[in-house]
Every structure is written in C-alpha cells, then in structure tokens.
Amino acid sequence: ATIASGSAIAGAQGGSSTAHASRATEVVLHHTSLGSILTTSSGFTLYEFTRDHASENSCVKIHGCAHTWPALETSGQPTAGSGVKASLLSSIRISGGARQVTYAGRPLYTYSADSRGATGYVGVSAFGGSWYALSSSGHIVK
C-alpha cells in the first residue's frame, strides 16, 4: 500500500482545484487517429508543453496557463499501464508542493476543456508554446 507523504497533503491544500490528482496516477496508452498516445486512466489526452526545459514546468510561471493546462499531479509514484514504459515515468515538484508526473523528462498536462478521447487540441499553440501528445517512447505526436 502507498502511504501519502507530507508533500501530497501540501499539494492538496495549495494545488489548483482543476488539477487531476490521485494517490498513484496511472498513465496508459490509448489508440487514436493520431496513433498511440499517452492518456490518463480515464482516457484524457496527456500533453507536453514545448516551453518546458529540463523537467521543469514553465506553464506555472505564465498567468492563466496552469488553469487552462493543469499539471497531471500524483501523490504517489506514477504507474505505467499496458504499453507505457515505467522506466520513463517520474515526477517533479511544482509550486505549492505538489508533484507533477513526467514522461521521458517531459512534464505532463491535461487540457481543462478536453473530453475523454479527444485529440483536437494536439498541436495547439497557446501561452507561448505548443501542446503535443506523446508516444510510448516519449516522442512528440503531432
């Protein structure tokens, strides 16, 4: 069993109310018209932000970005679903003490207006960068 840490409690108290969080966030591979991409276990597309560098969330530094593109948060070690490489999953600390899931060193985000299985926002330019899906190898899917 996973025991929640103090950072998880701090993240729950200070994190964005729109962020997706659970004790052990699972990342899965979903087959779409764009190919196989990473999604949440609920089927929501996961995005990377081209302005991020070296496992750092740049979105939190841009007014309105984190509300529109919430970080995929986790309170425990993120887990890999079928087809997802566990060795590429990790997390970083973001503002408020929360932990954001990363894949191949890329912080992962959801889109606040997304619907389950949607890929129409892949490749959108917003907040000074582009938002792309990722393959199981960690490469950008456009």
Side-chain angles (χ1 to χ4, degrees):
T2 303
I3 299 173
S5 67
S7 65
I9 295 166
Q13 292 170 345
S16 169
S17 62
T18 59
H20 299 253
S22 67
R23 271 191 221 155
T25 301
E26 184 180 29
V27 175
V28 300
L29 198 60
H30 188 78
H31 303 289
T32 72
S33 60
L34 299 175
S36 296
I37 61 171
L38 301 180
T39 70
T40 66
S41 58
S42 301
F44 289 91
T45 299
L46 293 172
Y47 299 86
E48 70 93 35
F49 185 35
T50 58
R51 286 194 56 178
D52 288 342
H53 300 287
S55 295
E56 182 181 332
N57 177 326
S58 298
C59 182
V60 296
K61 299 173 185 172
I62 304 167
H63 180 72
C65 186
H67 178 73
T68 304
W69 298 91
L72 179 67
E73 294 182 9
T74 187
S75 296
Q77 175 63 32
T79 59
S82 180
V84 175
K85 298 177 182 176
S87 62
L88 297 180
L89 273 174
S90 190
S91 64
I92 57 172
R93 188 169 310 280
I94 57 175
S95 63
R99 301 220 43 100
Q100 181 176 10
V101 179
T102 63
Y103 195 77
R106 300 172 190 262
L108 299 178
Y109 302 84
T110 58
Y111 179 60
S112 62
D114 234 346
S115 57
R116 184 175 298 165
T119 57
Y121 299 101
V122 173
V124 164
S125 292
F127 299 100
S130 296
W131 300 85
Y132 294 113
L134 292 173
S135 70
S136 64
S137 62
H139 293 104
I140 290 174
V141 175
K142 297 182 178 182

